[in-house]
Every structure is written in structure tokens, then in C-alpha cells.
Amino acid sequence: MTLSSAPDAAATVQHASRGGVLVVTIDHAPVNAIDGAVRRGLIDAIEAADADASVRAVLIVGAGRNFIAGADIREFGKPAVPPSLPEVCNRIEACGKPVVAAIHGAALGGGLEVALASHYRIAVEGAKLGLPEVQLGLLPGAGGTQRTARLIGARAALSLMLSGRHAGAQEALRLGLVDRVGQSDDVFAEGLAYAHELIATKAAPRRTKHARGLADKEAGAAAIAAARAETQKKSRGLLSPLKIVDCVEAALQLPFDEGLRFERERFVECRESPQRAGLVHAFFAERETQKSPETRVAQPRALNTIGVIGGGTMGAGIAVALLDSGLAVKMIERDEASLERGRAHIEKVYDALIAKERITHETKERALSRFEGATNYDALADADLVIEAVFEDMEVKKAVFAQLDRVCKPGAVLATNTSYLDIDEIAASISRPQDVLGLHFFSPANIMKLLEVVVPPRVLPDVVATGFELAKKLKKVAVRAGVCDGFIGNRMLAVYRAAADQLMEDGASPYQIDRAVRDFGFPMGPYQVIDLAGGDIGWAARKRRAATRDPDARYVRIGDMLCERGWFGQKTGRGYYRYDDGARIGQPDAEVEAIIEAERKRAGVEPRTFSDEQIVRRYLAAMINEGANIVHEGIAQRPLDVDATLMHGFGFPRHRGGPMHYADTVGLANVLADIRAFAKDDPLFWRASPLLVDLVERGADFASLNRTA
Ligand code: 3HC
Ligand code: NAI
């Protein structure tokens, strides 16, 4: 027997009676996200259960790999389609027959809220329960803040909702989120058996709104006060975390229905906020970037043994990333001493994690058991993929690739981690250019999420697909980039740093620029980043480019002047900031300000005052304009690839969605007007991107290019 009203509701939520249990199956690929049809279907199912005297219990399950992944994120920002999810959850909770939720895979956000509105819950191993709304700029808006706090207490509920983390089945049992964990992984059989047991024991509906988790008011208030204090410190500038705390306070202080109303109002505020739009854009961008033209048509090659050439900063970090994902690594260095240093680099990373009690000695030993070092390239004869991370020098790299060409098996993928060099030139120097691509990691490579997969013209699609497959194994966000000086990320970095340097020479102090950029939401300002990474890196790149630099282009020498003094940043105790006695946090340096002042005089610049807002506008305009050029030239496939790059490699605040999404929210016409105004000072630097001009003329935005690509 299948009953339902609207046809799409019937298709996505099926219900059928099985011996007195109405089995309600949400079947909405790929992840059973809750859209209007699912909401309607759930209400229909509960109505049917209440109306049918032969139904004695209800079982809600998900088809496919998940229970329910949450509300359908694609509906946010569009007109609301009734019924609302709070209504659905209230209707489930009000059902006159016991309702069981049987959970496998994801029960996240609205999915967990449906389970919490059910009367009994069972999970099987592999289940993931969580309220990750905070990661999308939201709060649980279908009774989640009120029911979770009542069910498991304020402290545990706040910890789940403020982190957005997933709890496994056993933890969910411990927390009291579920009543039991199934013996098998057959979620349907486990759920059905539970429902029959409830019928046999004449169990009545048990409503979470009556749960007693907040009975100890004092403990609840203390948990709320602690969470509020920590959130104020940690979630600077974010809207939803503090509102989550407020909602739990409402759960403690107000009757359930009033608490629900309080929650709904805050949820709607969050849902309508630009932060929600930015974070949802980030969510989809991260998934879209994984799809490239090559992954659509080609299968990846095998990935078991990976070679890494060079055990310096990057080689060691890449090796750790590979080892951490269970791969076997063979590292090649120039000589035994360098190899020993490489191995020591790797050990240092693990030892630091042991010191912080993040991993055990055994984990380190297990990882290192997959590591081998050699000074002879013959060790790479069976490598499936080799990542070169030697000095940034074309001749050194070509020599390494000649060795790889000699020893590697046919079909081995040969990758370079070069930051700037022409990968096509490297590929052309060996007999198998079709197997060569760029895999550009970011430092520290075992931590930074971004991996630029750089695609030179001659590479085969399955080689590119292998790069994306590696990123998946390493849990990195892969972004496809074309070959140019700096690819996507470093090319943009060079331009927005130049904009910052010009602001500095024109009158802003590096400390004001850093502060303005931090206040926008970056974790660090550009000069703090330079001091952390080492000023010498950029200095070397500037020297390399000196010969090809447009002689008419404005060049700010302040960074070079600091480097000439040996002030490379933290590692030398001085850079833009002073790091006295090994301090990690720098202090403004009056001598640096004097150098800047003298340089302004030499360059004939009359210093101006900039507000923080003016600083951010110039900084962002430079970023957006270069991003547009990069899309225009096809180096990035879509604006969203630029967004993912800046968010995962350069600290662009996620709640602003990346520079291109941010530009859409500001309005492209406004960005273009800014660029044209800045061009009055320096027309060469502030040349509007043809793509930006075209979009403004057509009244279009960057998002339109994401949709059509
Ligand atoms: N809405 C719409 N689409 C969703 C979705 C959602 N909630 N969750 C996942 N998807 C889509 C993805 O975009 C992707 O689409 P694509 O194939 O077209 O690229 C597809 O489902 C598969 O997703 P993943 O690639 O992420 O698959 P995984 O198997 O790696 O992960 C997952 C599955 C753990 C469920 C992960 O997708 C996830 O974390 N989803 C988001 C969960 C979430 O944030 N839920 C809360 C939503 S807000 C809410 O519920 C508000 C409520 O309180 C009122
Ligand atoms: P590094 O100087 O720390 O390490 C280079 C290592 O390569 C040294 O250990 C050296 O002994 C080894 N080496 C040199 N020639 C070799 C050869 N012929 N055979 C074997 N080993 C050899 O340099 P780093 O910073 O690790 O950079 C490596 C590459 O990664 C460069 O191309 C760089 O542009 C790129 N890169 C660097 C980033 C960074 O932040 N440091 C970020 C992303 C890419």
C-alpha cells in the first residue's frame, strides 16, 4: 500500500505498511536532502499513520547511503516553499503512534532534527550525527537548538552546534542522542525490529520537547556562560555562533513553543545574511572544483607508491601529507646528509603532534614504516607518481626530470611542485610530456587544504584525473589551473601584495594595512604573512622578474630594503615587525617606519591618510580584477575556482565566499568604478579586466559564469 498526495512528494517519500509499522522511506538522491517535496511527503506520511488504525508505529529511514543530509541547501535564498521544516518536525513529534528514526550514514542538520522530533532513535555503525549549520552561517532552525539541549543538556548540545562536528553511533549513544546502536549494519531490519519491540511493549510516543536534559538550571546556565565567553573570543565577526548560544539560553528559560519561535526568528536572520550566502557558496565551490573536464572523461591511474624528490620545506610536508593518507613514500635527495635532514623534517612534524597529544608514538611509527629514502633515482622504478620539490630553478628541475624519464616505469605520472616555472617547458624537455603536470601544494603542505592541479597543454586527461584522485586521497581541495606565472593563487598574490605596497608607500603603515585586512576577516595581514613565510622568498621572485618587469610600472622598494638588511621576518627576529627574544607575535618597528618614510621622500610621494575601509577596497579591487583576468584567460575555469583557491590557500574569509563571490555582493559596477577611480593615480596598474568591463556592460555577475561553465 502506498499513499501520498503530491506526485513528487510520493516519489521522494514513500510509505508502506509492514505488519503494523508504517515504513517511511526518504528516497531523494544523492543525499536525501530535505526540499519542499520531502517536507510534504513526511507530513503526508504522518497524517496517513495517524489516520490508519492498523498502523501501530512509524519507522523513518533513508534510502541509499544516508539517513538525511539536512535541509536542501540549494533552497536558501529562494522563496520559501511550505510546509516549513519546523512544521514537519512538530507534526512528527505530535504523531499519536510511536515514531522511530533508524539512522545510517549522515543524519545532519535538518536530518538530525527530523530524528530528534521522532520518539525513538536507533543508529547503526558508520552513522554520522551532527548539527553542522554553523558551518553554513546558520543555526539549527527546525527545533534543533531546543530539542538537542533538552535531550542531551546544554553543554553537549552547545559543543555539537558550535563545532558542527559529526558524532559517530557510539558517541551518539553516550551523549543520549540515540537510544541504541544496532547489532548489524542493516538499518532497515534494525529499525523494523525496534519498532516491533515498541509495539510489543506498548511503548507510547515519547516527545523530546518533554526531555529533562535542562532540569539542572544551574549547570545549564554555567555551560551557556562559558560557551558565550569562548564564542565571543573565537568567532569574531560571525553571526550565527552567538545566536546558537542565545537559542540554548532560550531553551533553558522559555517554554518549548516560545523557544521554537525565538529560534526561528534567529534562524531567518541568519538565513537572510550575506554570511550564509558566502558559506553556502563556499560549500558548493569546494565540490564543484573537484569536477574538471578531464575527470568527466578519464579514469585516474593507479596510486600506491609515490616518489618525492627533495626533502626541504615542501618535500617533507608533502611526504607527511602522503603518509598520513596511508600511501607509501620514497624520497630522493641529493646526498645522505640532505636525506637525513629530509627525514628529520618529517619526524619533527610528527614529534610536534605527539607533544600536543594529537597522535601517539605508534601512529608516527606506522607512518614512518611506509617511508623509504634514497639518493639514487633507481629506487623510483616502481613509483606510480613522482612529485618533484627541489629548488625553484629551471635547470635543476630539468635535470631531475631527465632522471625520472630514465628510471620511471611507462605510465608513471610525473608532477612538479614548482611555484612559478613554465611546466610546459619542463614537460617538453623529456620524452613523455603527456605524463607531466603540476601539483602545486601550499606550505605547510600537510596542513593547507589547497592543491592546484596545473594542466599543461600536452598532458593526457587520465594524468589530470590522477592529480584530482590524489587530492581526494589527501582530503585536499583540488583546483584546476592553467600554466602561467604563479598559476591562480600566487599570480593573484603578487598583484594584491603590490596594491598593499603602493598603499604603504602612499601613506598607510604596514600595521594599519594588516589590521584592516584582519578586520575584514583574513587571519593575518599581508606583512604578517611575509614575516611568517620569510621575506627572502618573495625577494628572490622579484629579483627573478626584474629583467622582464615593465620599466614604466611602479615598483615599491621597501620590501627589498628590509631584505637587504637581512630582515626576513620571524626567522631572523626582524622583518616588517620586531620579534624580540624569539617572540611569535611581532611588534611594530619604528625603524621600519623610518625606512618607509625615507623611501616616500625619495620617491617623491606626499603621504596620504587612508581609512581602513579605503585600504580594504583597494586591496580587494586588485584581487578581484586579477581574478577576472585569470578567468578571462582561461587559467581558472570559473570564478568559483578563484574563490576556492583564495579561501583554501590564502586565508580569504570563508563567510565572504571568496573574492569573486564577494565582488558580486558588492556589485561589479561598484568594483569597476573603484578601479577606474584608482586608475587616475596609476593607469598602468589599475587596468580594468576586460571580463569585468564586459560583465558590467551586460548587467551580469561572476555567479552567472559559475552556472554556465
Ligand atoms: N543540500 C543540497 N545538496 C547537498 C546537501 C544538502 N544539504 N548535502 C550534500 N549535497 C550535495 C552535494 O552538493 C553533492 O552534489 P553534487 O554531486 O552535485 O556535487 C552531493 O550532494 C554529494 O555530496 P558530497 O560530495 O559532499 O558527498 P559526501 O558523500 O562526501 O558527503 C555529506 C555527504 C556528509 C552529507 C556532505 O555532503 C555534507 O556534509 N553535506 C552538508 C550537510 C549539512 O550541512 N547539512 C545541514 C544543512 S542546513 C540545515 O539543515 C538547516 C536546518 O537546520 C533547518
Ligand atoms: P627547499 O630549499 O626547502 O628544499 C629543496 C630541497 O631539494 C632541498 O632539501 C635540496 O637538498 C633538494 N634538492 C635540490 N636539488 C635536488 C636534486 N637534484 N635531487 C634531489 N633533491 C634535490 O625548497 P622548498 O621551499 O621546499 O621548495 C621546493 C619547491 O617547492 C620549489 O619549486 C618551490 O618553488 C616550491 N614551493 C615552495 C613553497 C614554499 O612555501 N616554500 C610553496 C609551494 C611550492
Side-chain angles (χ1 to χ4, degrees):
M1 177 181 67
T2 301
L3 312 160
S4 221
S5 57
D8 50 352
T12 54
V13 182
Q14 296 133 21
H15 51 270
S17 192
R18 290 270 299 248
V21 177
L22 190 76
V23 178
V24 180
T25 309
I26 297 137
D27 186 359
H28 191 30
V31 292
N32 298 334
I34 307 174
D35 63 1
V38 173
R39 290 194 296 273
R40 180 78 261 154
L42 281 168
I43 294 226
D44 287 351
I46 299 298
E47 298 284 340
D50 270 339
D52 185 343
S54 72
V55 170
R56 298 174 64 202
V58 178
L59 170 65
I60 304 180
V61 286
R65 291 198 290 131
N66 300 292
F67 178 66
I68 302 171
D72 186 337
I73 299 169
R74 286 165 307 194
E75 280 192 345
F76 299 138
K78 296 187 185 148
V81 179
S84 71
L85 193 55
E87 287 171 67
V88 174
C89 289
N90 291 344
R91 184 64 191 89
I92 294 172
E93 189 165 60
C95 183
K97 324 268 168 90
V99 181
V100 177
I103 299 169
H104 74 304
L108 299 175
L112 184 57
E113 289 175 301
V114 164
L116 294 175
S118 304
H119 305 144
Y120 298 90
R121 286 161 291 281
I122 179 169
V124 297
E125 294 295 347
K128 289 190 278 198
L129 294 86
L131 294 164
E133 284 89 343
V134 72
Q135 289 164 0
L136 300 172
L138 290 168
L139 50 88
T145 63
Q146 306 302 295
R147 289 195 180 89
T148 314
R150 281 176 168 78
L151 190 63
I152 64 172
R155 207 160 77 91
L158 283 163
S159 147
L160 269 188
M161 291 189 279
L162 290 172
S163 66
R165 73 186 175 84
H166 302 167
Q170 296 296 346
E171 188 192 352
L173 182 66
R174 270 198 311 280
L175 289 172
L177 274 178
V178 298
D179 300 292
R180 56 170 73 170
V181 174
Q183 302 291 311
S184 73
D185 58 6
D186 185 343
V187 70
F188 177 69
E190 293 286 343
L192 200 59
Y194 193 15
H196 280 300
E197 197 183 305
L198 292 168
I199 294 173
T201 55
K202 299 196 168 41
R206 187 192 54 176
R207 301 194 167 90
T208 308
K209 66 178 176 182
H210 299 138
R212 306 271 306 139
L214 294 174
D216 183 344
K217 298 262 176 208
E218 225 171 90
I224 290 161
R228 183 168 283 133
E230 198 186 324
T231 306
Q232 270 159 349
K233 253 196 289 159
K234 272 188 15 196
S235 304
R236 205 170 47 101
L238 294 179
L239 191 65
S240 76
L242 275 176
K243 290 191 191 295
I244 288 175
V245 180
D246 293 344
C247 286
V248 174
E249 190 167 52
L252 188 75
Q253 294 173 349
L254 301 178
F256 183 74
D257 289 343
E258 280 179 44
L260 277 189
R261 269 197 297 281
F262 184 93
E263 175 197 88
R264 192 64 186 170
E265 281 164 19
R266 268 94 209 136
F267 174 79
V268 171
E269 278 173 45
C270 292
R271 192 186 62 193
E272 304 313 315
S273 77
Q275 294 193 358
R276 192 278 304 154
L279 287 163
V280 167
H281 172 72
F283 178 88
F284 286 118
E286 281 150 14
R287 283 159 180 78
E288 272 312 302
T289 58
Q290 314 309 308
K291 301 167 192 165
S292 77
E294 293 82 5
T295 54
R296 288 198 181 98
V297 299
Q299 289 303 314
R301 296 183 187 174
L303 276 176
N304 298 310
T305 298
I306 318 289
V308 175
I309 321 286
T313 309
M314 292 311 289
I318 293 168
V320 172
L322 296 164
L323 293 171
D324 282 349
S325 62
L327 292 160
V329 175
K330 289 189 177 172
M331 177 179 280
I332 305 287
E333 257 291 355
R334 291 181 290 177
D335 48 46
E336 288 297 338
S338 308
L339 186 58
E340 206 28 64
R341 269 201 304 279
R343 195 187 158 93
H345 258 127
I346 294 172
E347 293 216 28
K348 207 167 124 194
V349 174
Y350 285 117
D351 289 340
L353 291 173
I354 293 172
K356 288 187 203 148
E357 295 185 1
R358 297 248 198 93
I359 62 163
T360 60
H361 283 281
E362 292 70 48
T363 312
K364 173 185 168 187
E365 292 314 318
R366 259 202 314 280
L368 287 178
S369 70
R370 291 190 297 276
F371 177 82
E372 258 176 64
T375 53
N376 186 332
Y377 280 81
D378 293 337
L380 295 180
D382 65 345
D384 299 305
L385 179 146
V386 180
I387 303 167
E388 165 278 309
V390 302
F391 302 136
E392 185 76 343
D393 180 302
M394 182 57 93
E395 291 319 308
V396 177
K397 299 229 189 249
K398 280 184 179 168
V400 168
F401 272 78
Q403 292 286 353
L404 297 179
D405 202 8
R406 180 179 66 77
V407 300
C408 288
K409 67 186 178 190
V413 173
L414 308 180
T416 172
N417 182 47
T418 180
S419 303
Y420 298 97
L421 300 176
D422 181 349
I423 299 175
D424 197 31
E425 186 180 334
I426 299 175
S429 71
I430 62 170
S431 71
R432 33 175 138 172
Q434 73 280 1
D435 293 331
V436 176
L437 85 168
L439 289 178
H440 186 218
F441 291 79
F442 288 75
S443 180
N446 57 316
I447 293 177
M448 296 296 286
K449 282 265 171 250
L450 179 63
L451 179 64
E452 282 180 314
V453 177
V454 192
V455 180
R458 288 176 246 205
V459 70
L460 285 172
D462 62 341
V463 172
V464 179
T466 312
F468 278 93
E469 182 65 16
L470 180 76
K472 206 188 281 174
K473 279 193 197 289
L474 302 187
K475 299 198 172 59
K476 296 217 183 277
V477 174
V479 176
R480 185 186 191 281
V483 176
C484 68
D485 191 346
F487 317 127
I488 300 176
N490 282 342
R491 173 167 159 183
M492 289 181 68
L493 175 74
V495 174
Y496 67 78
R497 264 197 190 155
D501 282 352
Q502 293 174 10
L503 277 161
M504 177 165 62
E505 197 173 63
D506 285 342
S509 83
Y511 317 117
Q512 188 198 357
I513 296 170
D514 279 350
R515 189 191 60 221
V517 167
R518 275 199 311 273
D519 286 349
F520 180 78
F522 282 85
M524 282 192 271
Y527 299 105
Q528 291 174 294
V529 175
I530 292 172
D531 274 6
L532 182 68
D536 46 330
I537 296 185
W539 192 30
R542 292 194 294 276
K543 283 195 266 195
R544 189 168 44 75
R545 290 204 192 100
T548 51
R549 198 164 32 235
D550 180 346
D552 293 332
R554 180 174 174 187
Y555 184 74
V556 176
R557 304 191 320 167
I558 297 163
D560 297 351
M561 294 168 75
L562 302 187
C563 288
E564 280 155 15
R565 288 166 169 75
W567 297 356
F568 295 152
Q570 279 192 22
K571 63 184 172 189
T572 56
R574 258 184 125 158
Y576 284 92
Y577 294 80
R578 294 186 73 108
Y579 303 86
D580 294 332
D581 306 320
R584 303 275 305 265
I585 298 177
Q587 297 302 322
D589 186 340
E591 268 189 74
V592 169
E593 291 185 293
I595 292 168
I596 297 169
E597 193 49 50
E599 187 55 16
R600 284 179 190 142
K601 283 211 179 78
R602 191 207 57 83
V605 173
E606 188 61 47
R608 283 184 276 166
T609 308
F610 293 93
S611 67
D612 289 5
E613 195 221 330
Q614 286 171 322
I615 290 174
V616 167
R617 271 167 77 161
R618 279 189 187 239
Y619 196 67
L620 267 295
M623 202 180 286
I624 294 161
N625 198 47
E626 193 60 8
N629 283 330
I630 284 171
V631 174
H632 185 60
E633 291 168 28
I635 298 297
Q637 296 180 92
R638 301 147 297 193
L640 66 82
D641 295 281
V642 174
D643 286 336
T645 302
L646 269 288
M647 285 188 285
H648 290 285
F650 298 85
F652 194 100
R654 206 178 144 75
H655 65 274
R656 296 194 191 265
M660 314 313 268
H661 174 85
Y662 176 74
D664 279 351
T665 65
V666 171
L668 298 192
N670 294 326
V671 177
L672 182 60
D674 269 355
I675 291 171
R676 288 186 169 147
F678 304 151
K680 294 198 178 95
D681 295 341
D682 184 349
L684 198 55
F685 184 79
W686 292 103
R687 268 181 306 200
S689 163
L691 177 64
L692 185 60
V693 174
D694 175 57
L695 289 171
V696 171
E697 276 170 6
R698 292 194 286 117
D701 57 10
F702 287 127
S704 64
L705 304 177
N706 291 333
R707 286 192 288 271
T708 54

mmCIF file of all heavy atoms in Angstrom, residues 458-478:
data_model
loop_
_atom_site.group_PDB
_atom_site.id
_atom_site.type_symbol
_atom_site.label_atom_id
_atom_site.label_comp_id
_atom_site.label_asym_id
_atom_site.label_seq_id
_atom_site.Cartn_x
_atom_site.Cartn_y
_atom_site.Cartn_z
ATOM 1 N N ARG A 458 50.079 19.617 -23.118
ATOM 2 C CA ARG A 458 50.241 18.286 -23.715
ATOM 3 C C ARG A 458 49.825 17.130 -22.818
ATOM 4 O O ARG A 458 49.919 15.977 -23.200
ATOM 5 C CB ARG A 458 51.712 18.075 -24.083
ATOM 6 C CG ARG A 458 52.114 18.896 -25.274
ATOM 7 C CD ARG A 458 53.591 18.728 -25.524
ATOM 8 N NE ARG A 458 54.245 20.006 -25.285
ATOM 9 C CZ ARG A 458 55.383 20.353 -25.842
ATOM 10 N NH1 ARG A 458 56.018 19.513 -26.622
ATOM 11 N NH2 ARG A 458 55.904 21.534 -25.591
ATOM 12 N N VAL A 459 49.423 17.409 -21.605
ATOM 13 C CA VAL A 459 49.168 16.319 -20.649
ATOM 14 C C VAL A 459 47.892 15.540 -21.024
ATOM 15 O O VAL A 459 46.934 16.105 -21.555
ATOM 16 C CB VAL A 459 49.066 16.896 -19.221
ATOM 17 C CG1 VAL A 459 47.807 17.723 -19.035
ATOM 18 C CG2 VAL A 459 49.146 15.802 -18.179
ATOM 19 N N LEU A 460 47.906 14.236 -20.743
ATOM 20 C CA LEU A 460 46.745 13.400 -21.047
ATOM 21 C C LEU A 460 45.675 13.565 -19.960
ATOM 22 O O LEU A 460 45.998 13.763 -18.782
ATOM 23 C CB LEU A 460 47.165 11.930 -21.099
ATOM 24 C CG LEU A 460 47.938 11.503 -22.350
ATOM 25 C CD1 LEU A 460 48.473 10.078 -22.184
ATOM 26 C CD2 LEU A 460 47.052 11.608 -23.588
ATOM 27 N N PRO A 461 44.390 13.411 -20.343
ATOM 28 C CA PRO A 461 43.311 13.580 -19.358
ATOM 29 C C PRO A 461 43.442 12.636 -18.163
ATOM 30 O O PRO A 461 43.138 13.032 -17.029
ATOM 31 C CB PRO A 461 42.044 13.261 -20.159
ATOM 32 C CG PRO A 461 42.415 13.479 -21.579
ATOM 33 C CD PRO A 461 43.879 13.211 -21.712
ATOM 34 N N ASP A 462 43.891 11.389 -18.364
ATOM 35 C CA ASP A 462 43.926 10.486 -17.199
ATOM 36 C C ASP A 462 45.029 10.877 -16.211
ATOM 37 O O ASP A 462 44.959 10.530 -15.029
ATOM 38 C CB ASP A 462 44.025 9.012 -17.610
ATOM 39 C CG ASP A 462 45.280 8.688 -18.365
ATOM 40 O OD1 ASP A 462 45.918 9.626 -18.895
ATOM 41 O OD2 ASP A 462 45.642 7.497 -18.442
ATOM 42 N N VAL A 463 46.025 11.612 -16.697
ATOM 43 C CA VAL A 463 47.061 12.111 -15.785
ATOM 44 C C VAL A 463 46.449 13.207 -14.895
ATOM 45 O O VAL A 463 46.661 13.231 -13.677
ATOM 46 C CB VAL A 463 48.274 12.639 -16.591
ATOM 47 C CG1 VAL A 463 49.274 13.326 -15.686
ATOM 48 C CG2 VAL A 463 48.924 11.490 -17.352
ATOM 49 N N VAL A 464 45.664 14.070 -15.507
ATOM 50 C CA VAL A 464 44.989 15.119 -14.735
ATOM 51 C C VAL A 464 44.017 14.478 -13.742
ATOM 52 O O VAL A 464 43.960 14.860 -12.558
ATOM 53 C CB VAL A 464 44.237 16.094 -15.685
ATOM 54 C CG1 VAL A 464 43.510 17.161 -14.884
ATOM 55 C CG2 VAL A 464 45.208 16.716 -16.674
ATOM 56 N N ALA A 465 43.282 13.466 -14.215
ATOM 57 C CA ALA A 465 42.334 12.779 -13.320
ATOM 58 C C ALA A 465 43.086 12.164 -12.136
ATOM 59 O O ALA A 465 42.571 12.126 -11.015
ATOM 60 C CB ALA A 465 41.569 11.703 -14.085
ATOM 61 N N THR A 466 44.312 11.713 -12.374
ATOM 62 C CA THR A 466 45.109 11.134 -11.282
ATOM 63 C C THR A 466 45.466 12.211 -10.250
ATOM 64 O O THR A 466 45.468 11.957 -9.052
ATOM 65 C CB THR A 466 46.396 10.478 -11.834
ATOM 66 O OG1 THR A 466 46.041 9.650 -12.943
ATOM 67 C CG2 THR A 466 47.098 9.636 -10.780
ATOM 68 N N GLY A 467 45.758 13.421 -10.726
ATOM 69 C CA GLY A 467 46.034 14.537 -9.813
ATOM 70 C C GLY A 467 44.831 14.800 -8.917
ATOM 71 O O GLY A 467 44.963 14.983 -7.703
ATOM 72 N N PHE A 468 43.636 14.788 -9.511
ATOM 73 C CA PHE A 468 42.421 15.013 -8.715
ATOM 74 C C PHE A 468 42.187 13.852 -7.744
ATOM 75 O O PHE A 468 41.739 14.064 -6.618
ATOM 76 C CB PHE A 468 41.207 15.206 -9.635
ATOM 77 C CG PHE A 468 41.102 16.609 -10.153
ATOM 78 C CD1 PHE A 468 41.667 16.975 -11.361
ATOM 79 C CD2 PHE A 468 40.442 17.582 -9.416
ATOM 80 C CE1 PHE A 468 41.590 18.274 -11.827
ATOM 81 C CE2 PHE A 468 40.357 18.888 -9.867
ATOM 82 C CZ PHE A 468 40.934 19.236 -11.077
ATOM 83 N N GLU A 469 42.492 12.635 -8.197
ATOM 84 C CA GLU A 469 42.315 11.472 -7.328
ATOM 85 C C GLU A 469 43.250 11.564 -6.115
ATOM 86 O O GLU A 469 42.874 11.251 -4.991
ATOM 87 C CB GLU A 469 42.611 10.197 -8.147
ATOM 88 C CG GLU A 469 42.419 8.906 -7.398
ATOM 89 C CD GLU A 469 40.963 8.645 -6.997
ATOM 90 O OE1 GLU A 469 40.062 9.293 -7.544
ATOM 91 O OE2 GLU A 469 40.763 7.802 -6.100
ATOM 92 N N LEU A 470 44.483 12.018 -6.385
ATOM 93 C CA LEU A 470 45.433 12.169 -5.269
ATOM 94 C C LEU A 470 44.878 13.176 -4.259
ATOM 95 O O LEU A 470 44.910 12.946 -3.044
ATOM 96 C CB LEU A 470 46.806 12.628 -5.776
ATOM 97 C CG LEU A 470 47.824 12.792 -4.648
ATOM 98 C CD1 LEU A 470 48.326 11.433 -4.164
ATOM 99 C CD2 LEU A 470 49.012 13.652 -5.076
ATOM 100 N N ALA A 471 44.343 14.287 -4.778
ATOM 101 C CA ALA A 471 43.780 15.307 -3.875
ATOM 102 C C ALA A 471 42.691 14.696 -3.006
ATOM 103 O O ALA A 471 42.609 14.970 -1.803
ATOM 104 C CB ALA A 471 43.218 16.470 -4.686
ATOM 105 N N LYS A 472 41.867 13.851 -3.612
ATOM 106 C CA LYS A 472 40.783 13.217 -2.847
ATOM 107 C C LYS A 472 41.374 12.360 -1.733
ATOM 108 O O LYS A 472 40.933 12.415 -0.589
ATOM 109 C CB LYS A 472 39.943 12.354 -3.798
ATOM 110 C CG LYS A 472 38.529 12.194 -3.318
ATOM 111 C CD LYS A 472 37.735 11.203 -4.123
ATOM 112 C CE LYS A 472 37.214 11.743 -5.435
ATOM 113 N NZ LYS A 472 36.573 10.690 -6.245
ATOM 114 N N LYS A 473 42.392 11.578 -2.078
ATOM 115 C CA LYS A 473 43.021 10.724 -1.056
ATOM 116 C C LYS A 473 43.610 11.569 0.069
ATOM 117 O O LYS A 473 43.621 11.166 1.223
ATOM 118 C CB LYS A 473 44.128 9.879 -1.689
ATOM 119 C CG LYS A 473 43.633 8.636 -2.407
ATOM 120 C CD LYS A 473 44.818 7.723 -2.697
ATOM 121 C CE LYS A 473 44.520 6.672 -3.732
ATOM 122 N NZ LYS A 473 43.626 5.616 -3.340
ATOM 123 N N LEU A 474 44.166 12.721 -0.279
ATOM 124 C CA LEU A 474 44.798 13.587 0.719
ATOM 125 C C LEU A 474 43.777 14.511 1.400
ATOM 126 O O LEU A 474 44.163 15.338 2.229
ATOM 127 C CB LEU A 474 45.884 14.454 0.066
ATOM 128 C CG LEU A 474 47.027 13.743 -0.659
ATOM 129 C CD1 LEU A 474 48.090 14.748 -1.100
ATOM 130 C CD2 LEU A 474 47.669 12.676 0.193
ATOM 131 N N LYS A 475 42.516 14.384 1.005
ATOM 132 C CA LYS A 475 41.440 15.245 1.529
ATOM 133 C C LYS A 475 41.750 16.725 1.310
ATOM 134 O O LYS A 475 41.602 17.573 2.197
ATOM 135 C CB LYS A 475 41.188 14.963 3.017
ATOM 136 C CG LYS A 475 40.741 13.540 3.300
ATOM 137 C CD LYS A 475 40.106 13.448 4.684
ATOM 138 C CE LYS A 475 39.467 12.117 4.958
ATOM 139 N NZ LYS A 475 40.374 10.953 4.873
ATOM 140 N N LYS A 476 42.248 16.997 0.110
ATOM 141 C CA LYS A 476 42.539 18.394 -0.214
ATOM 142 C C LYS A 476 41.505 18.921 -1.203
ATOM 143 O O LYS A 476 40.832 18.138 -1.876
ATOM 144 C CB LYS A 476 43.946 18.492 -0.815
ATOM 145 C CG LYS A 476 45.029 18.077 0.177
ATOM 146 C CD LYS A 476 46.264 18.920 0.045
ATOM 147 C CE LYS A 476 47.365 18.467 0.959
ATOM 148 N NZ LYS A 476 47.219 18.998 2.330
ATOM 149 N N VAL A 477 41.415 20.229 -1.271
ATOM 150 C CA VAL A 477 40.545 20.860 -2.253
ATOM 151 C C VAL A 477 41.383 21.095 -3.504
ATOM 152 O O VAL A 477 42.317 21.896 -3.492
ATOM 153 C CB VAL A 477 39.997 22.199 -1.709
ATOM 154 C CG1 VAL A 477 39.217 22.942 -2.774
ATOM 155 C CG2 VAL A 477 39.143 21.954 -0.470
ATOM 156 N N ALA A 478 41.069 20.350 -4.556
ATOM 157 C CA ALA A 478 41.842 20.475 -5.792
ATOM 158 C C ALA A 478 41.205 21.537 -6.680
ATOM 159 O O ALA A 478 39.992 21.575 -6.826
ATOM 160 C CB ALA A 478 41.865 19.137 -6.516
#
